[in-house]
């Protein structure tokens, strides 16, 4: 088990190997389909991509006693062609679910970033690790807005590492 | 005639969508516990454990099971002696609207294939109505997530491809879907009818009780065989490998044209949220 604190450094990336459990603490950002499309040409970015962690999620609305509602990962493959632009600008970790294209994997290795998965459909469990949440961009997108989250020991697994290993390899 | 007020319908839909988004069926929880016991890969076992813990947390009522609280699908069977004192679909959609607001559920519906503006209240529901004899009104209600729906398909096989062709299509579809539909999954299969009928059969198959099996012995055999063979695929929880790929296989069938063998495969993630209400 590896504990990581944001922002993520190249040293952190080198330690991550497929199948390992990772607990992330610090600041992470949410973005999924529509936010990724907008980010491609965004000139007024409200957060630093250098060493950043992006979590592919569209949460449910929060009740008063929690920071955010259910917050499990969405399928990552839809962001495959949109992620390289962000990795180029310093994005280090992506958290989602499911496998991704060979082209994505190649780009990910080139930019020395890592793809993690969290347990899909465990939105209530993952929500309990989110301590604070605020919308920082694209409020009009509702659940798809970009949020800044403060997380404590947010649990993930390494799915692809920079050494070319792939957790889905023998099982697709 | 028996009169039904639209607000009774709205109430049923509202309460049902909230209930299913916070509570998994006992039979499903039991099946997940058995799967965890039998899972040989430790990382996969820990994912099954996460899924079980997740439903414990959701049950308390603060946070739904999954962030994708789905599109609402309703099958309504309307007894011929029922007289609804208003518009049925309006009443159902009002139930969705109220339920998704009061239940703090995500609004996941956009209005147009390309403009994609959120309708803000999770309406419209997808409604299938059927007129049947009798004086009862029966609702089968599901909240269906997008991740598993996206991995579903309809294919027109030739009659000669037969049972083996169906099996191959199902196994290929599930293997190729990998971790995307959040395995362990439940597989709803519709065989026969025509293009749209097979898809409806597959969806209705998913709304069956997890523990039942088909009344037809050939079909039951196919359900059992596929259950075993899918779990041998090694896709595993979240696609990372292991013994647990599916928790159930449900097949519904219907007569078909001499030239056709339509097959629809509707994939349901482990967060299988549905219920039935009859009044
Ligand atoms: S596939 Fe199911 S469990 Fe997974 S994110 Fe979608 S609704 Fe939730």
């Amino acid at each position: 088990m590896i504990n990581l604190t944001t922002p993520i450094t190249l040293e952190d990336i080198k330690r991550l190997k497929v199948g390992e459990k990772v607990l992330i603490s610090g600041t992470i950002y949410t973005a999924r389909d529509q936010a990724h499309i907008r980010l491609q040409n965004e000139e007024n970015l409200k957060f630093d991509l250098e060493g950043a962690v992006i979590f592919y999620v569209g949460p449910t609305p929060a009740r008063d006693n929690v920071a955010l509602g259910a917050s499990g990962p969405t399928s990552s493959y839809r962001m495959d062609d949109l992620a390289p632009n962000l990795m180029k600008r310093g994005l280090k970790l992506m958290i989602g679910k499911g496998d991704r294209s060979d082209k994505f994997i190649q780009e990910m290795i080139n930019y020395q970033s890592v793809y993690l998965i969290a347990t899909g459909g465990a939105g209530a469990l993952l929500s309990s690790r989110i301590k604070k949440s605020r919308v920082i961009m694209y409020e009009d997108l509702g659940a798809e807005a970009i949020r800044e989250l403060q997380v404590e020991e947010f649990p993930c697994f390494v799915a692809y590492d920079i050494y070319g290993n792939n957790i889905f390899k023998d099982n697709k | 005639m028996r009169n039904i007020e639209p607000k009774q319908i709205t109430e049923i839909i509202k309460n049902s969508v909230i209930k299913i988004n916070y509570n998994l069926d006992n039979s499903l929880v039991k099946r997940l516990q058995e799967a965890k016991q039998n899972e040989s890969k430790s990382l996969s076992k820990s994912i099954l454990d996460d899924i079980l813990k997740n439903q414990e947390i959701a049950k308390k009522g603060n946070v739904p099971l999954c962030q994708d609280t789905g599109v609402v699908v309703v099958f309504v069977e309307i007894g011929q002696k029922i007289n609804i004192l208003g518009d049925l679909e309006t009443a159902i959609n009002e139930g969705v609207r109220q339920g998704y607001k009061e239940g703090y559920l995500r609004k996941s519906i956009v209005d147009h294939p390309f403009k994609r503006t959120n309708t803000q209240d999770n309406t419209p529901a997808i409604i299938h109505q059927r007129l049947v004899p009798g004086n009862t009104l029966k609702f089968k209600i599901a909240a269906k997530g997008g991740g598993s729906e996206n991995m579903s398909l309809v294919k027109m096989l030739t009659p000669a491809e037969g049972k083996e062709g169906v099996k191959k299509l199902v196994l290929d579809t599930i293997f190729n879907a990998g971790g995307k539909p959040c395995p362990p999954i439940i597989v709803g299969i519709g065989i026969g009818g025509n293009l749209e009928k097979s898809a409806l059969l597959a969806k209705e198959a998913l709304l069956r009780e997890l523990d039942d099996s088909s009344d037809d012995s050939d079909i039951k055999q196919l359900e059992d065989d596929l259950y075993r063979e899918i779990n041998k695929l090694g896709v595993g929880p979240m696609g990372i490998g292991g013994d647990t790929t599916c928790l159930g296989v449900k097949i519904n069938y219907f007569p078909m044209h001499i030239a056709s063998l339509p097959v629809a495969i509707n994939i349901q993630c482990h967060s299988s949220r549905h219920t039935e209400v009859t009044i």
Side-chain angles (χ1 to χ4, degrees), chain A residues 97 121, chain B residues 66-68 145 147-148 181-182 269 271 273:
Chain A
K97 69 171 164 107
Chain B
C66 181
Q67 75 291 338
D68 183 353
S148 51
C182 288
C269 51
S271 205
R273 292 154 292 181

Side-chain angles (χ1 to χ4, degrees), chain A residues 49-63:
Chain A
L49 269 171
E50 192 56 53
V53 182
I54 285 186
F55 177 23
Y56 302 145
V57 61
T60 61
R63 288 177 196 267

Side-chain angles (χ1 to χ4, degrees), chain A:
Chain A
M1 184 132 65
I2 295 188
N3 283 285
L4 291 180
T5 308
T6 62
I8 306 300
T9 63
L10 188 57
E11 285 314 305
D12 294 331
I13 291 293
K14 286 182 181 160
R15 284 164 65 208
L16 301 177
K17 309 239 170 68
V18 153
E20 224 147 9
K21 190 161 183 176
V22 181
L23 297 175
I24 302 175
S25 300
T27 306
I28 69 175
Y29 301 94
T30 71
R32 48 172 292 164
D33 306 61
Q34 291 303 319
H36 270 77
I37 294 170
R38 292 195 192 176
L39 281 175
Q40 299 302 299
N41 299 310
E42 182 59 69
E43 281 170 7
N44 194 10
L45 203 63
K46 297 273 170 48
F47 64 103
D48 191 359
L49 269 171
E50 192 56 53
V53 182
I54 285 186
F55 177 23
Y56 302 145
V57 61
T60 61
R63 288 177 196 267
D64 288 343
N65 53 351
V66 290
L68 201 56
S71 304
T74 193
S75 294
S76 308
Y77 71 96
R78 297 190 311 269
M79 272 60 78
D80 282 357
D81 294 336
L82 304 166
N85 175 306
L86 307 179
M87 292 191 279
K88 190 162 121 198
R89 287 142 76 187
L91 173 64
K92 279 291 167 222
L93 293 178
M94 289 146 281
I95 308 169
K97 69 171 164 107
D99 59 328
R100 313 189 68 166
S101 67
D102 292 341
K103 189 163 157 261
F104 167 84
I105 297 176
Q106 206 44 57
E107 299 268 26
M108 188 202 85
I109 296 171
N110 288 346
Y111 291 117
Q112 301 275 287
S113 302
V114 162
Y115 171 49
L116 307 173
I117 54 173
T119 300
L125 178 73
L126 293 169
S127 164
S128 67
R129 307 296 177 92
I130 300 172
K131 303 302 167 190
K132 272 190 206 157
S133 160
R134 72 183 177 103
V135 174
I136 56 167
M137 288 177 82
Y138 311 146
E139 184 144 28
D140 62 299
L141 292 179
E144 292 199 61
I146 296 186
R147 289 176 169 78
E148 181 188 83
L149 309 181
Q150 302 300 328
V151 295
E152 271 172 36
E153 306 200 325
F154 192 85
C156 309
F157 306 93
V158 180
Y160 305 145
D161 61 27
I162 53 168
Y163 308 104
N165 302 307
N166 176 346
I167 204 170
F168 304 111
K169 198 150 212 161
D170 302 319
N171 16 282
K172 174 79 192 182

Side-chain angles (χ1 to χ4, degrees), chain B:
Chain B
M1 288 308 257
R2 182 179 158 215
N3 289 339
I4 303 274
E5 290 286 345
K7 64 171 187 289
Q8 263 178 285
I9 297 170
T10 297
E11 206 58 21
I12 287 170
I13 301 293
K14 177 178 94 173
N15 294 335
S16 299
V17 296
I18 295 175
K19 182 188 94 182
I20 59 181
N21 269 299
Y22 287 84
N23 299 278
L24 283 188
D25 265 0
N26 289 335
S27 54
L28 180 54
V29 174
K30 209 171 128 248
R31 194 65 67 90
L32 282 162
Q33 282 161 343
E34 288 161 7
K36 186 183 138 194
Q37 291 283 322
N38 299 332
E39 178 58 61
S40 58
K41 196 171 163 176
S42 72
L43 200 55
S44 307
K45 212 188 194 53
S46 85
I47 287 180
L48 293 169
D49 190 51
D50 277 356
I51 294 171
L52 284 161
K53 280 190 192 132
N54 185 65
Q55 60 87 29
E56 288 288 335
I57 297 174
K59 221 179 354 197
K60 293 184 190 136
N62 279 329
V63 183
L65 288 155
C66 181
Q67 75 291 338
D68 183 353
T69 50
V71 53
V72 179
V73 182
V74 187
F75 285 86
V76 201
E77 286 175 17
I78 309 160
Q80 280 168 342
K81 298 202 181 96
I82 291 281
N83 181 27
I84 300 171
L85 303 167
D87 182 49
L88 172 68
E89 300 210 351
T90 306
I92 291 174
N93 281 320
E94 186 54 32
V96 171
R97 191 170 290 124
Q98 292 179 14
Y100 273 68
K101 183 157 190 285
E102 290 174 32
Y104 287 78
L105 305 177
R106 195 180 78 182
K107 289 77 185 170
S108 310
I109 308 300
V110 292
D111 64 340
H112 184 280
F114 312 117
K115 292 183 194 136
R116 304 196 79 82
T117 306
N118 198 300
T119 62
Q120 303 292 352
D121 58 7
N122 219 51
T123 67
I126 295 173
I127 302 167
H128 308 287
Q129 320 185 16
R130 207 152 62 95
L131 208 55
V132 298
N135 66 349
T136 58
L137 189 58
K138 178 168 161 185
F139 297 92
K140 288 194 243 173
I141 304 154
K144 184 71 172 73
S148 51
E149 194 76 359
N150 280 349
M151 298 295 118
S152 305
L153 58 79
V154 179
K155 184 133 194 258
M156 309 306 274
L157 299 184
T158 63
E161 286 175 278
K163 202 187 276 182
E164 289 310 311
V166 172
K167 273 190 178 177
K168 184 171 182 318
L169 181 66
V170 172
L171 294 172
D172 287 352
T173 303
I174 292 168
F175 187 77
N176 290 329
K180 295 183 198 87
C182 288
I185 56 174
I186 298 164
V187 191
I189 304 171
I191 309 178
N194 59 1
L195 181 88
E196 80 275 12
K197 181 71 181 176
S198 65
L200 280 171
L201 290 168
K203 183 73 76 200
E204 276 202 275
L206 283 179
L207 303 184
R208 281 168 43 191
E209 296 282 335
L210 188 59
D211 292 330
D212 75 358
S213 17
S214 176
D215 301 335
D216 180 280
S217 61
D218 267 2
I219 299 289
K220 178 182 182 316
Q221 187 65 47
L222 186 57
E223 288 178 344
D224 295 345
D225 290 350
L226 276 171
Y227 180 76
R228 242 178 307 138
E229 289 174 37
I230 292 167
N231 279 318
K232 280 203 210 121
L233 285 174
V235 172
M238 298 319 293
I240 67 159
D243 309 309
T244 320
T245 301
C246 92
L247 301 167
V249 177
K250 305 283 159 190
I251 306 176
N252 285 10
Y253 72 99
F254 194 80
M256 69 219 78
H257 192 280
I258 48 173
S260 309
L261 177 57
V263 182
I265 303 168
N266 198 187
I267 299 186
Q268 168 64 58
C269 51
H270 61 78
S271 205
S272 174
R273 292 154 292 181
H274 63 95
T275 189
E276 232 180 83
V277 181
T278 305
I279 52 170

